[in-house]
Structures are given as C-alpha cells and as structure tokens.
Amino acid sequence: MYGAVSIRVTGRVQGVGFRPFVYSLAKKFQLTGTVQNNLDHVMLILEGNEDELEKAVAELKNSPPPLAKIDRITATPIPPVYFQEFTIIPSKKIDSCSLPWISADAAICEDCLREMKDPSNRRYQYPFINCTQCGPRYTIIQALPYDRPYTTMSEFTMCEQCHEEYENPLNRRHHAQPICCSACGPSIALFYQKGKLAAQDEKALLETGALLRRGHIVGIKGIGGFHLACDAFQERAILEVRKRKNRPYRPLAIMARNLDVVKKHCYLSKEEEAMLTSTVMPIVVLRKRKESTLPEVLSPGLSTIGIMLPYTPLHHRIFETSGLESMVMTSANPSGLPIPYREETIDGYLYDFLLTHNRDIHLPIDDSVVQFDGEHMLFHRRARGFVPDPFHTQSEVDGILAFGGNQKNTFALGKEKDIVVSSYIGDLDNEEMIRFFKDQIYHYQKWLDVEVKHIAIDQHPLYASTELAKEYDCNIIPIQHHHAHHVSCMEDNGIEEPCFGIILDGTGYGDDGNIWGFEFLYGDADSFERLGHLEYTPLPGGEKAVKETWRNAVGMLYQYWQEDGIEIAMKLFPDKANEINILKKMILNQIHTPMAGTCGRIFDAVSAILGTCLTSSYEGEAAIRLSDYMMKEMDHPADTYPFHLKTNQANQLQLDLSPMLSQIIQDQSNSVSTAKIIHTFHSTIVSCCVEMIERLAERNPHLNRTVMLSGGSFQNLFLTKEIKARLVEKGFAVKTHKNVPCHDGGLSLGQIIIASHAIKSKVVDHCVPGSTRKGDGD
C-alpha cells in the first residue's frame, strides 16, 4: 500500500550531513517527499510503499550520521501529496519554544585527511578542507538555523566547483556550510611579531615549520582561538613559553604527530585511544612511560601529561612542514586571561611569529581535557567537541540563568526542560574575564532565544557573580556552594530522590559564614541537611593562605597545639620565623583569618609539612602533587593514620584530623619515606569518609543509602575509586560525575536545578533557596 508520513526530528541534526543522509535514504527505499531545516528541528515528509517507509524510519532511528545525536523522532501518518521526487527544500527560520541544538566543532575526518594528502585531489594540501562530517561548527555560527549565510563563512563566495558539490545531494559536501577550497576559501598568512607580513599560504606553512624546528614560539590560529606552539623537545623554548604566559609549573599540553608517538611516550588504554581518535579529539591526561624522553619541564614533578592529536587540517600541515614529533600546544593567553580569538586581542609579547587566517571565529572555545580512571571518563574541562550539547531534565528551567562559581567558571541557561552548560570560561578574577563571561552569556541568550527571568548565583557575598547579577533586572536566587555540587552530581546521574553527598572541595561559603569544603550532606534539589563536616581551623590571610600553603599549615598547627604548634611550625618552616609570629597575632586577634574546614586546605597543609609544595603557582598544585604519588605502586598496602569523629552542639558529626597531622609530622621526623606518608594520608581520607557515612546511616536508618561524590578534590582518582569501592562494599549505591566536571565547572548545572525547584515552591522572594533545614549549622 502507498502511504505518507510526516517526521519531526530534534537533536543535533544540523551541520552533521543529516539532510543528505535523508536524501540518500529516500533514494535507497524509492521514496519521495521533502526534508527541511527549521530553527530547532528537521522536518521530513516521506511517501511511498508502506513497507519501505517502515524500513526507512527504522534506519533513520538506528543508523543516523556519525555526528548526529537524535533526541526525539516523531512520526505522524498523513494523506499522500504524491510528490514526484525527493527534494531538499530551503531552511525555514520560525520561532520556537524548543531548544535548538547547535553542532559542536568536529575533528578532521579520515575522508578529508585522505583527500588532503592526495596529489590528484583538488584540495591537496589545503589546510581548511572539511565536509559534513568534520570541521568548524559552534565557533563559526552567528545565528540559527545553521546555514552558510548565518556563519562567518558567509564572507567567502563559493567557486563553481564547490557550489556544485554543495548542491549535489549525493556528494559528501552537500550543504556542508564551511565548504571551500584554495580557490574560494580562507587563506593563511605568517606575520612577524610587530605585524609585518612574512609569508602567505604554502610559503607561510613552510616557514612556520622551519621556525618551529629552530626553536621559535609561533602563535597559531585554530578553530576556537589562538595557541602558542613550539617544539616539545626544546626546553629553552618551553621555558620561554612558561615565562611569557606566567605559568611557571602548571602542566603544558602537547600535540603528538600520531598515535605511534603517543604510545612511545605514554601508556594507552583502549578507552583512551578511542577518545584521542574520536570526532572530539580532546586533550587526554595520560600516564607517562618511564622510558619517555619528553622533557620534565612539560609537566614538572608529575607522572602524567596531557596529549592530543592533530584535529584540524592546519595542524596536520604544520606537522608535515616542521617534521616534528610533538609540539607544545597551549592557549595563547597569559595566565588568568581569556583565550584570544581575534588578531588584535593576542599579546604580541607571547609569540615570535603569528600564523593566522581570515576565517573569523565568532565564539571562542578552549580544548576539552579529560582523564580516565580505568573505568570511566572524567572531565577536567568540558569545551571543544562537547559544547554546546544540551542536557534534558525533568525540572522546569525555562528562563533560568545560573552563573556558576568564581573559579573554573561555566554558566548554564535553561529553555523549557533543556539546559545548555557553557564552555569552560575560567576564573572570574579580573575585568577581562568578567567581560568575556558577559559576552558569552549574551551570545547564548541570542542563539537560544531565551528571556532570562531568574538568575542563580553562589551565595558567597564577595564573588564577582554577586555584583554582576545586580546588572540584570531579574529575580536573584543565592545558592549554597556545596548544595549545588551535590545536586549537580544528582542531575548528572538522573537522580531526584534525597540522598547522601560527600562533597570534598577547596572553598565554598557556608551558611554559618565559615568556609566549607569537607561536607557530608543529605538532601535533594529542594533542600539539604548538613549532617557532618571537618572541624574548622584558621586560614590566616584568607586567599593568600590558599596560595601560600605553609600559612594554612601554621593555622592548623596553632589551632591544635597553640605554642607547641608554633614551635613545630618554626622547625618545619625555619625561614618563615618572622611571618609565623605575625600569623600567630592575626589568628589571636582574628584579623583577616576566616575559619575553614575543607579538603583542599588539608591537602595544602600536608603538602607544606612534607615540603612537597610550600607555594602554589596554580590552583590545586599542592593537591595535584600529592595525588600524583598515588600513581606509583607501593610495596605493601598503606596503613591508616588515626582520626576522631565526635558530635558537636548541632548534633552533627565532626571530623578531627589532628591525630593524623601529629603522626605525619612524627613520621617525617623519623625519616619515613614521603611516598609512604602520602599513601597513608590518602588512605586516611578514604577511611574517614567511609566511616562518616556509615555512622550517619546508622544514626538515620530511614535515609536512602545512595551517595553522591562531588567537589574538586574528587579529581583525585585514588579518592574517587577507593571511596566508591569501599562504600559499595558496605551496601551503598555510589554515583560520580559523568557529563560535567566534579569541580566548579559543573556547579552551574546544580544551581539551575535548585533554582528551578525554588521557583516552583514559590519561596524565592522570602528565603535563600538551598539553605539548610531548621536546626542545621554550628
């Protein structure tokens, strides 16, 4: 029988070759009809034999194009119109309340790479080759629907041959919006430091290769912004990159020529290899081989390094012309500033030469960074290739904007029941970063056509977001930092019922005005209860003590042992005698000395006591150096240091780690190896977390035995793996993050869900959503 069906497809179906795919499908099953892009979906009308229609719809659902992510397919039988053929009709830009999926940038595909290396192909050696399965998307889209006139490629008029490919439904480049060739597409130019032209096109690539071989630093314009590149084996060049970026010790990512190079220097699992070669091609943090010859200055003091493969045709061309095995490939911004994506925004001091091109970047984006724990992939930075894929939720989030945190910032924007979490932004510590943050919000609002009515912010009174929110004529909803972490992990796992949360973090403003960060919570998006926490110790100098970890140690030593603690501090840090006496007075007089109980500060103090890191040159350096020891095998299982659990006046369990610190100091004085102390320290943190949850569950047998693990300290793979395993043995269901980072990069997801529940309960005008239940607090 002859039939017809109207099909609406939502999801990532624009910019992925979906219409050509449908065209081929229609031809395969001898169907007629139309396919059309709309703002937030693709509409199909298929007519023909009903059996063939059924097969076509099944293939549409089960075998879409590789880059497509279908969210929903709705098929509705309709009366036949009796089309004579199947055609792709012009896109229709209509208003919609649904969330439009914006395609992520995709790494060069094998077909394009093969063509680029084929001397007989007309795109031979062309560094901007692309098709429907690869190339820029997110970074060039100016408006929706995703058609060439709404991208930065609109500046380039297609030549006759490209136009023929673009219009041919059977061609791989049919409606590939960035389609181009050397006759009609972007071109390359190499400039000296002061802006004088050095070379163009192929000569520019050849000269760039020679410059890199000679040890120069070259700024390179990529898909989402500028990178600084140099030979990864020339230490002088690497040290110069560090100096210019003001990044003395933080690890630098490298780009390897191919998988063989990666395997030569790093251990590589099947999962890691699959991610390295995926359409995303992110930076993957890998464990270095002992025999690796990579310079130590790339990731000082660490056994891991971040590596990615060439993900653009330009990268492949640079490897060809340079002959290098690996290159440093780091964002071309001084530490603490946004990634530059326009020529006028990159500081000429950073590079010796600048290789750029004339395809504009509309929206910048950093490289994604991931790591595998042996079982799962963890996000350190969710950016290129993953953004802006949305999250579907059961909560009403329409018109809610969540500002995220002050560090590792992302924001989240809601439309109907979908959430888009922005790309990694960075730390909102200066005007440049705040302006960058605001620009990104503007673009997302425009893209998604969202009228913001509510803004969720961290309740810390001194965060930049607190002041920024006042610029919007919206309902402002402050949310407790660790509650947001808890709910972020719940939402990431599709959990709505109340549950436990272990939140191990660096800094978060608590409901009692102290700094929280070693929290044992119970609750959901509506509310939470603080059931236990690490006891507070002074943080002399506040933020300064976070960077100068020895200050943190002094605060703890004095809190626990007063004058004896000061004497211990003098022995541990003999060159800080004058400062220690000043810190003692600050603590006694409560001058710029907040009280803190956080996991990050415990790691800082232990790192300082052991001399591993006295001053952090980048956020979390002390903890990262300690956690790296856990990558090394011990001859025998580590012991556990003593600790105390006690009940405070608010009937909360309170963790006292002073016995552990005392034993660590004693072990150090007895020349116990640093590695053994660090392993025992980690085992102690695991044990106290497990025992705390066990005790809380015994106290409250009616509570759900599901536990969320969230907060920046869970970037420590040992803590995550061991706490989860131990709790599972005890009969708990344990969940970790899947799609957003466990650190503050995932905070906005929790904030937007909490704000949604607060709005629904109509309490936002009268109380602080996410605050603890009556009776909580110290």
Side-chain angles (χ1 to χ4, degrees):
M1 289 183 63
Y2 193 87
V5 63
S6 172
I7 303 174
R8 178 188 173 102
V9 187
T10 60
R12 188 203 281 177
V13 289
Q14 297 189 26
V16 295
F18 195 79
R19 288 175 294 176
F21 163 76
V22 171
Y23 184 91
S24 298
L25 204 63
K27 293 296 181 185
K28 177 180 178 180
F29 294 104
Q30 298 180 320
L31 304 175
T32 61
T34 63
V35 60
Q36 179 189 49
N37 262 356
N38 286 281
L39 191 64
D40 62 349
H41 63 279
V42 170
M43 283 299 304
L44 291 77
I45 296 177
L46 295 177
E47 294 187 356
N49 180 280
E50 288 188 349
D51 289 341
E52 299 301 292
L53 276 175
E54 189 175 324
K55 292 176 185 176
V57 173
E59 191 163 325
L60 183 71
K61 292 178 179 178
N62 300 325
S63 304
L67 292 183
K69 283 190 177 180
I70 293 178
D71 180 45
R72 200 172 297 114
I73 293 179
T74 307
T76 307
I78 59 172
V81 178
Y82 299 100
F83 288 99
Q84 296 301 305
E85 58 183 350
F86 189 87
T87 57
I88 297 174
I89 60 178
S91 299
K92 189 175 182 181
K93 190 172 183 178
I94 59 172
D95 292 333
S96 173
C97 62
S98 300
L99 182 79
W101 279 57
I102 301 163
S103 295
D105 302 303
I108 184 171
C109 69
E110 288 298 320
D111 287 333
C112 282
L113 189 57
R114 186 165 47 250
E115 289 178 350
M116 190 180 73
K117 294 181 177 181
D118 180 4
S120 66
N121 191 281
R122 73 185 192 89
R123 291 187 175 86
Y124 175 57
Q125 294 188 335
Y126 184 55
F128 299 99
I129 188 171
N130 67 84
C131 70
T132 55
Q133 295 308 306
C134 67
R137 302 285 193 275
Y138 169 87
T139 49
I140 64 171
I141 297 172
Q142 296 168 317
L144 296 174
Y146 176 56
D147 283 324
R148 193 177 178 102
Y150 305 123
T151 72
T152 60
M153 284 300 295
S154 62
E155 300 297 317
F156 301 93
T157 303
M158 280 182 259
C159 67
E160 186 175 341
Q161 285 178 289
C162 284
H163 192 264
E164 286 177 3
E165 293 172 332
Y166 183 84
E167 294 295 342
N168 181 1
L170 297 178
N171 192 283
R172 195 174 90 251
R173 295 186 171 87
H174 179 60
H175 282 217
Q177 307 309 334
I179 186 173
C180 57
C181 67
S182 58
C184 64
S187 57
I188 282 178
L190 179 70
F191 291 91
Y192 294 104
Q193 198 173 41
K194 294 184 179 180
K196 182 182 177 182
L197 182 66
Q200 291 179 283
D201 299 318
E202 187 64 19
K203 288 183 178 179
L205 287 168
L206 291 169
E207 182 61 22
T208 297
L211 290 167
L212 289 167
R213 285 196 304 273
R214 293 200 296 267
H216 284 287
I217 299 169
V218 181
I220 298 174
K221 186 177 182 180
I223 279 185
F226 283 93
H227 287 95
L228 295 180
C230 71
D231 184 352
F233 286 90
Q234 297 195 39
E235 291 196 21
R236 184 203 60 79
I238 298 168
L239 291 172
E240 187 62 25
V241 168
R242 289 194 173 284
K243 177 182 174 184
R244 296 184 190 186
K245 277 179 64 79
N246 189 26
R247 189 172 173 173
Y249 299 110
R250 188 174 180 177
L252 293 171
I254 66 170
M255 182 176 280
R257 174 189 284 270
N258 53 39
L259 267 179
D260 288 339
V261 173
V262 178
K263 292 175 180 178
K264 176 181 173 182
H265 294 287
C266 296
Y267 298 101
L268 195 63
S269 69
K270 290 180 180 179
E271 293 79 10
E272 289 164 339
E273 181 174 333
M275 183 50 61
L276 273 173
T277 57
S278 68
T279 59
V280 179
M281 287 192 175
I283 297 169
V284 181
V285 179
L286 301 172
R287 193 158 58 95
K288 290 185 285 190
R289 290 183 179 274
K290 292 180 180 179
E291 63 270 23
S292 171
T293 56
L294 287 170
E296 175 69 12
V297 292
L298 289 170
S299 55
L302 301 180
S303 60
T304 58
I305 189 165
I307 299 188
M308 57 182 157
L309 292 174
Y311 58 84
T312 72
L314 178 59
H315 293 146
H316 282 276
R317 291 303 331 277
I318 293 171
F319 272 110
E320 286 176 14
T321 60
S322 67
L324 297 180
E325 181 186 279
S326 300
M327 293 185 286
V328 167
M329 193 67 72
T330 182
S331 55
N333 56 303
S335 185
L337 294 179
I339 182 172
Y341 62 103
R342 297 190 182 100
E343 285 76 4
E344 64 271 19
T345 61
I346 181 171
D347 189 342
Y349 166 76
L350 292 170
Y351 58 84
D352 301 327
F353 293 84
L354 187 69
L355 184 70
T356 187
H357 57 76
N358 57 345
R359 183 181 67 203
D360 287 342
I361 297 169
H362 183 66
L363 204 62
I365 195 166
D366 269 299
D367 293 310
S368 291
V369 183
V370 303
Q371 187 173 13
F372 286 80
D373 65 359
E375 297 179 43
H376 308 102
M377 187 185 80
L378 310 172
F379 278 99
H380 289 297
R381 183 196 296 162
R382 185 176 175 272
R384 175 182 55 78
F386 295 103
V387 172
D389 284 356
F391 298 93
H392 189 69
T393 180
Q394 296 304 310
S395 301
E396 293 287 346
V397 293
D398 194 51
I400 306 175
L401 171 62
F403 270 10
N406 220 52
Q407 294 180 314
K408 294 184 172 68
N409 177 269
T410 66
F411 60 84
L413 190 58
K415 187 166 186 176
E416 294 294 309
K417 289 191 173 184
D418 288 301
I419 302 166
V420 173
V421 177
S422 76
S423 172
Y424 168 86
I425 299 221
D427 299 347
L428 304 183
D429 290 338
N430 53 59
E431 285 300 319
E432 291 88 347
M433 289 303 300
I434 291 170
R435 185 163 57 248
F436 184 71
F437 172 76
K438 292 167 69 174
D439 287 346
Q440 300 285 293
I441 289 175
Y442 170 79
H443 286 302
Y444 274 68
Q445 279 186 261
K446 183 180 176 183
W447 265 355
L448 305 178
D449 190 27
V450 173
E451 179 187 355
V452 175
K453 300 174 183 176
H454 310 275
I455 294 180
I457 63 171
D458 192 285
Q459 72 178 23
H460 196 301
L462 300 180
Y463 273 5
S465 56
T466 304
E467 287 301 312
L468 275 176
K470 296 176 183 176
E471 298 179 13
Y472 293 77
D473 184 20
C474 297
N475 179 38
I476 308 301
I477 308 172
I479 291 169
Q480 204 281 322
H481 189 89
H482 303 97
H483 186 202
H485 271 305
H486 185 188
V487 175
S488 174
C489 193
M490 291 178 66
E491 183 67 23
D492 208 359
N493 286 277
I495 291 173
E496 297 181 41
E497 299 79 17
C499 57
F500 287 106
I502 303 176
I503 315 299
L504 303 185
D505 202 20
T507 300
Y509 188 79
D511 288 341
D512 56 4
N514 294 319
I515 300 173
W516 294 7
F518 204 125
E519 307 304 312
F520 298 84
L521 311 179
Y522 189 86
D524 54 19
D526 287 318
S527 63
F528 76 95
E529 186 174 0
R530 191 188 195 200
L531 300 178
H533 64 91
L534 177 67
E535 68 179 359
Y536 300 133
T537 54
L539 198 60
E543 191 63 31
K544 196 167 184 179
V546 175
K547 294 180 179 179
E548 298 181 15
T549 57
W550 64 271
R551 288 173 169 258
N552 193 8
V554 171
M556 290 187 187
L557 293 171
Y558 185 68
Q559 174 76 6
Y560 291 133
W561 300 292
Q562 286 74 50
E563 291 303 323
D564 288 343
I566 293 296
E567 187 176 334
I568 294 169
M570 292 288 191
K571 291 178 181 178
L572 288 170
F573 316 116
D575 59 333
K576 306 288 186 184
N578 290 335
E579 291 97 324
I580 290 171
N581 285 322
I582 294 171
L583 296 188
K584 174 185 171 183
K585 292 177 181 177
M586 289 175 64
I587 295 168
L588 281 171
N589 296 299
Q590 298 182 345
I591 299 171
H592 195 37
T593 302
M595 298 298 286
T598 89
C599 188
R601 303 296 76 82
I602 281 288
F603 270 80
D604 287 351
V606 171
S607 185
I609 289 168
L610 297 178
T612 306
C613 181
L614 296 178
T615 302
S616 290
S617 66
Y618 59 91
E619 189 206 351
E621 180 179 1
I624 289 169
R625 287 180 177 274
L626 288 187
S627 66
D628 193 74
Y629 275 83
M630 306 310 291
M631 308 288 284
K632 306 162 188 173
E633 293 184 6
M634 285 286 289
D635 294 335
H636 51 82
D639 299 322
T640 300
Y641 288 126
F643 58 87
H644 295 317
L645 293 182
K646 51 193 177 186
T647 302
N648 63 17
Q649 291 180 345
N651 199 34
Q652 299 167 331
L653 276 183
Q654 194 164 293
L655 173 63
D656 174 9
L657 289 175
S658 61
M660 178 192 75
L661 288 178
S662 176
Q663 190 61 52
I664 286 174
I665 294 166
Q666 187 175 330
D667 278 357
Q668 188 194 36
S669 67
N670 291 335
S671 300
V672 174
S673 73
T674 299
K676 179 166 175 37
I677 294 172
I678 292 172
H679 274 73
T680 308
F681 162 65
H682 273 79
S683 295
T684 306
I685 298 298
V686 171
S687 293
C688 67
C689 287
V690 172
E691 186 170 331
M692 179 75 87
I693 289 292
E694 280 191 283
R695 291 271 293 273
L696 292 172
E698 288 170 6
R699 279 186 170 194
N700 305 278
H702 59 287
L703 297 183
N704 179 8
R705 290 173 67 88
T706 300
V707 185
M708 302 295 120
L709 306 184
S710 190
S713 296
F714 279 112
Q715 291 178 96
N716 185 312
L717 301 186
F718 179 86
L719 292 185
T720 304
K721 184 177 180 180
E722 291 299 315
I723 291 174
K724 181 176 180 179
R726 292 270 299 277
L727 284 173
V728 168
E729 284 178 4
K730 304 289 185 180
F732 293 90
V734 183
K735 303 296 181 181
T736 58
H737 283 273
K738 297 177 179 178
N739 302 297
V740 296
C742 61
H743 57 61
D744 286 6
L747 203 66
S748 60
L749 179 62
Q751 288 177 341
I752 200 170
I753 298 299
I754 295 169
S756 168
H757 282 247
I759 294 162
K760 186 177 180 181
S761 63
K762 299 180 182 180
V763 298
V764 294
D765 294 329
H766 305 291
C767 72
V768 177
S771 62
T772 51
R773 295 185 175 105
K774 186 177 180 181
D776 297 337
D778 295 342

